[in-house]
Every structure is written in C-alpha cells, then in structure tokens.
Amino acid sequence: MRLGIDLLRVGTLDRLCERAWFTRYAFAAVEIEYAATLAPRRRREFLAGRFAAKEAVFKVLGTGLFEGVAPHEIAVGRAPGGSPQVTLHGTAARVAARVGVTGLTVSITHTDGMVAAVAAGW
C-alpha cells in the first residue's frame, strides 16, 4: 500500500488557469469538459480539488510535478455514484506499473476555501 496526501487553497491556481496552455497541461479532457458545466465558484473549487488529487497520486507513484509525469495523464473522473475515479494514461500508467501500483483510489474534500485529497495505491 502506498499513500499520498495534498492540501491546496482554492484560488491558488486562478492565475495559472487563465492560461489555456496550463489548463491543457494540468487537466485531462474529461476534467476540463466537466468543469465547463459548473458555475465559476464551483469550477474553481472543482479544479483545485482535482489538482490536489493529482498531487496526491504523484506521491503514490513516487514522482512529482515536472518529474516525468504530466498532470493531465492522471484523469480524475467521476464514478457512476459521483465519487472521484482515477484513470492513468501514458507515462503515469507506465510509472504505476513499474512501482507495482495496480489500483488507485482518491478522496477529495472541500471546506472553508481549502481542498484536500488523499490517494491510496496498491
């Protein structure tokens, strides 16, 4: 079992998310598409939560941002019941295989302008 956790203030990514290149680099298409359906305040919170989840997954994989795995290769979609569901693509999937991670789960919470995410890999 491998664990990762991340904490992020909502709004930390605001300036970066104004740049299209960053949004494409940081978020998977499924995340961008869903975020586009949300009201602005909820979208900020959603994207911050997804980014925190990606950071927690980086820790499970034993890598960091800008260390070979692009954040958009970690897609945090929604399971049928609405809970977050992680899918790895490209280099992220290869790193997971290399370190023996065959399954991943994440939990995301939002409160008082903060988001936190915990990831577990096995």
Side-chain angles (χ1 to χ4, degrees), residues 33-117:
E33 290 167 10
Y34 185 76
T37 70
L38 302 173
R41 182 170 175 252
R42 176 67 183 113
R43 182 176 340 163
R44 291 175 71 223
E45 185 179 74
F46 173 83
L47 291 175
R50 286 328 197 242
F51 197 81
K54 292 165 188 286
E55 289 280 7
V57 170
F58 282 140
K59 292 167 184 162
V60 168
L61 298 178
T63 186
L65 186 62
F66 305 118
E67 292 182 11
V69 175
H72 67 264
E73 294 179 321
I74 302 168
V76 186
R78 295 168 54 93
S83 63
Q85 184 174 39
V86 178
T87 307
L88 302 179
H89 303 279
T91 305
R94 290 189 291 278
V95 169
R98 186 179 75 233
V99 299
V101 172
T102 59
L104 271 167
T105 189
V106 298
S107 180
I108 304 169
T109 188
H110 312 84
T111 186
D112 294 330
M114 300 295 291
V115 296

